Amino acid sequence: MNYSIFNDCQANRLQGETDQGHMERIFTECMMGTPEDSKGINDMLAAKLADCSVKERFLVLEYEVKDWMLNPAHMLHGGIMSTCCDMTMGMLARYLTQSQRCVTVNLNVNFLLGVDAGRTILVKAKAEKQGKRVQFLSAQIFDKETGRQAVDCTAVFM
């Protein structure tokens, strides 16, 4: 993950680039790299950009459920689901504040459904309210194939 891309990302705007095109490019460049180049959990999760909207202030990332992410019941571990939500919301918060420095100060996760091994999940993060120092975001995890919601999450970032 290349989080430095968020520092002054508006200054990195290409000539003639639309707001939506800029957002898509920034998130794509941030996620460049492979798990083999891993420097931490965010790289290991190997998120892929699925969708985003500047106007609606949301980001959707896709994660493939791999064996190392499973709990003893062979389901996606709750801590991994929490991390995926935190990472997706954090990336959106960084983009909106144009800062590499954005920390989670509160994370509330409600688990609604288990996710089986071998599935793909979509994590949709949305900016709910943004102040000068604090941002309120929400996220949901969906099974990509069934569309069923597995997690509902809220967070505060500073």
Side-chain angles (χ1 to χ4, degrees):
M1 296 297 234
N2 176 14
Y3 286 116
S4 65
I5 191 92
F6 294 110
N7 288 337
D8 232 4
C9 68
Q10 293 301 326
N12 296 328
R13 186 175 292 271
L14 301 175
Q15 187 174 0
E17 187 174 46
T18 65
D19 290 343
Q20 183 64 31
H22 178 258
M23 185 182 205
E24 291 170 7
R25 182 178 59 81
I26 293 295
F27 284 121
T28 299
E29 288 181 17
C30 174
M31 290 181 273
M32 285 185 179
T34 63
E36 292 79 29
D37 301 327
S38 179
K39 295 180 182 130
I41 185 75
N42 290 354
D43 290 313
M44 292 171 63
L45 290 169
K48 297 176 188 167
L49 178 63
D51 196 10
C52 62
S53 172
V54 171
K55 186 176 181 179
E56 296 178 39
R57 296 167 18 118
F58 76 79
L59 171 64
V60 182
L61 297 182
E62 181 177 303
Y63 300 85
E64 291 180 33
V65 179
K66 299 180 176 134
D67 287 344
W68 70 267
M69 300 173 171
L70 303 178
N71 64 20
H74 298 283
M75 304 282 287
L76 182 58
H77 192 285
I80 296 294
M81 288 193 272
S82 299
T83 301
C84 290
C85 286
D86 186 43
M87 179 178 148
T88 306
M89 289 186 290
M91 288 179 67
L92 181 58
R94 283 181 178 94
Y95 180 81
L96 295 173
T97 60
Q98 300 179 38
S99 173
Q100 184 176 349
R101 185 156 171 80
C102 189
V103 297
T104 311
V105 294
N106 180 276
L107 183 70
N108 182 23
V109 183
N110 295 304
F111 301 98
L112 309 174
L113 184 72
V115 177
D116 292 324
R119 307 296 285 195
T120 299
I121 60 171
L122 297 173
V123 181
K124 181 175 183 178
K126 181 167 180 28
E128 301 293 344
K129 186 172 181 180
Q130 186 173 353
K132 290 185 181 189
R133 293 182 40 108
V134 178
Q135 297 181 74
F136 297 85
L137 288 92
S138 64
Q140 295 81 38
I141 294 180
F142 298 93
D143 183 304
K144 183 178 179 181
E145 289 80 19
T146 68
R148 295 184 65 192
Q149 185 175 352
V151 167
D152 187 51
C153 181
T154 58
V156 179
F157 288 83
M158 188 157 58

